[in-house]
Amino acid sequence: MKKSIHISFLIVLLIGVSAFAVHKFYVSIYQINYAKEKKMLQITSRIFVDDLNDVLKKKFNKTTHIGEPNESAEDVLLMKKYILDHLTIKINGQQKAIEYLSKEMEGNVVVGYFRIKDISKIKSFEIQNTTLFDLNEEQQNIIQTNIYNKKQSLLLTSENVKGLLNQ
């Protein structure tokens, strides 16, 4: 219960601060829903755009312009590559391919849309998410899942990059 309140507070704080260009905490949120009728995991990421551009510059030694008018297709490809290199999901012990769909901006937050297809049943869900840990070791990645109408949350940090949920 205490962990749920803590995570809810962080979400409200992220949304409230997302309207400002400068933030003093490092958090991103990943919402993962299982659409049983479509046999698909639907993944939505929310990452501060300045952190994303900073980590892309550090990783690829290239200035990117995600969320800016001069954003290029190459910028989006680098963003996609970075996120997919740092996010892995195993269903029932098997690593699954994550497909990037699109992105949009909400204030200074990049909202990314991903999916994993062909999932008929989930007994266990394992996630590893090291996104932005190479930029700031204070980074926290909040994972919220809704699988079979069972909502669960994980808080991943640089000391704890993986989480396992059994259904």
Side-chain angles (χ1 to χ4, degrees):
M1 178 72 175
K2 205 176 216 184
K3 186 176 180 182
S4 177
I5 292 171
H6 177 70
I7 290 173
S8 295
F9 173 75
L10 284 174
I11 292 167
V12 169
L13 192 58
L14 174 67
I15 292 167
V17 174
S18 68
F20 301 102
V22 178
H23 56 93
K24 295 181 181 178
F25 63 98
Y26 302 92
V27 65
S28 60
I29 299 174
Y30 298 77
Q31 178 65 48
I32 302 170
N33 298 320
Y34 179 54
K36 185 178 178 181
E37 65 286 349
K38 295 179 181 180
K39 297 182 180 181
M40 175 189 317
L41 275 179
Q42 300 167 328
I43 304 162
T44 304
S45 65
R46 286 182 162 70
I47 303 171
F48 283 110
V49 69
D50 57 335
D51 291 340
L52 190 55
N53 281 317
D54 288 348
V55 80
L56 294 176
K57 183 174 185 173
K58 182 178 179 180
K59 174 77 174 171
F60 299 108
N61 200 26
K62 180 185 181 312
T63 300
T64 57
H65 303 279
I66 300 294
E68 300 172 15
N70 55 338
E71 172 185 285
S72 70
E74 183 184 0
D75 293 344
V76 175
L77 282 175
L78 292 176
M79 177 196 74
K80 172 185 163 183
K81 177 175 177 24
Y82 178 80
I83 292 173
L84 293 178
D85 285 350
H86 288 82
L87 179 65
T88 57
I89 294 177
K90 291 182 181 179
I91 304 296
N92 307 328
Q94 287 190 311
Q95 186 168 328
K96 298 295 182 179
I98 302 171
E99 180 183 353
Y100 170 80
L101 299 173
S102 65
K103 65 132 186 92
E104 64 181 346
M105 294 297 299
E106 285 183 2
N108 65 344
V109 174
V110 179
V111 181
Y113 300 99
F114 305 83
R115 71 179 173 194
I116 300 174
K117 297 191 301 186
D118 301 322
I119 299 175
S120 56
K121 186 168 186 167
I122 299 176
K123 293 180 184 176
S124 69
F125 172 89
E126 183 179 342
I127 186 166
Q128 179 173 321
N129 187 340
T130 58
T131 306
L132 299 179
F133 291 162
D134 46 349
L135 182 65
N136 190 321
E137 59 184 50
E138 295 175 27
Q139 176 68 32
Q140 296 180 338
N141 294 329
I142 299 171
I143 313 299
Q144 298 177 313
T145 64
N146 186 353
I147 301 172
Y148 299 120
N149 294 318
K150 181 179 179 186
K151 295 181 181 184
Q152 296 182 356
S153 298
L154 296 166
L155 179 62
L156 303 182
T157 64
S158 59
E159 293 87 33
N160 181 32
V161 299
K162 281 187 189 179
L164 175 66
L165 300 174
N166 292 308
Q167 297 307 310

